Each structure stands twice: as structure tokens, then as C-alpha cells.
Amino acid sequence: QVHLVESGGGLVQTGGSLRLSCAASGRTFSTYAMGWFRQAPGKEREFVAAITWNSRRIDYSDSVKGRFTISRNNAETTVYLQMNSLKPEDTAVYYCAAYRNSYSSKPDYWGQGTQVTVSS
């Protein structure tokens, strides 16, 4: 079992930056792939970024590539999402996710989400 708690969301102006954190409980964190998703009002939840357990493979959605960076610290059981050059269309609730296996599968655990609002 993995318990995920996101933090770091807030209100930021267009072009600004935020860093989201996802603190994970559980001794098996270092074996899990991790990801970030987001859901805007009236829209389906969408993939943002993912990282393998050893950080050797990372993937991003086209909409955030070049602006967002996912990283993890296994010793601190935390995964991060650095978001730069934010746009109003990045406004959403951001969710952390954990995968027992590859992130090509559906996540096995979800956090409760953190709100990111980008003002124009």
C-alpha cells in the first residue's frame, strides 16, 4: 500500500513557476514508477509526466514538454513536478500517481490532488 500526498499548488501568473511535491509513504516507493496527471474543470483527467523507479526513463505529454520537469528522490520518498512558463491552460487539479509496474499501465494509487491556477 502506498499513500500519496501532494503539495505546492497555488495561484500564479502566466509565465510563472511552481514546484509540486508528492510525498509517499511505504517502504516500496523506490520500486514504483511515478506519474503526474491533471484534470481541468469539465475535462477528463490527462497524463502529464511519468518517471521510472530509477529515473532512467521519463516521459511528458506534448502540452508540457520543455516546460515541466519530473524528478524523484527515493531516499526522501518524494516525487516532484517543476512547472515553468505556466499558461492559463495549465490550470487544473494535479494528481500524483504510483505504479506497481510500468507506467504504461494504469496507476495503482492516487493522491488527493492539489489545485494549480494560472491567471492571465
Side-chain angles (χ1 to χ4, degrees), residues 32-74:
Y32 282 63
M34 299 295 296
W36 288 95
F37 288 72
R38 67 186 182 186
Q39 187 167 19
K43 295 187 177 181
E44 292 188 355
R45 191 172 298 189
E46 64 173 1
F47 169 80
V48 174
I51 186 168
T52 54
W53 68 273
N54 57 5
S55 304
R56 288 183 179 177
R57 180 174 175 179
I58 292 173
D59 284 298
Y60 299 96
S61 67
D62 288 342
S63 61
V64 307
K65 199 172 294 183
R67 300 187 298 122
F68 290 11
T69 303
I70 188 171
S71 62
R72 66 188 293 162
N73 184 323
N74 286 345

Side-chain angles (χ1 to χ4, degrees), residues 1 5 17 28 30 34 79 100 103-104 111 113:
Q1 185 76 14
V5 179
S17 298
T28 55
S30 63
M34 299 295 296
V79 63
R100 288 198 194 96
Y103 59 74
S104 61

Side-chain angles (χ1 to χ4, degrees), residues 101-118:
N101 299 300
S102 166
Y103 59 74
S104 61
S105 59
K106 290 185 179 180
D108 296 287
Y109 303 101
W110 293 94
Q112 84 289 347
T114 185
Q115 176 71 47
V116 171
T117 303
V118 184

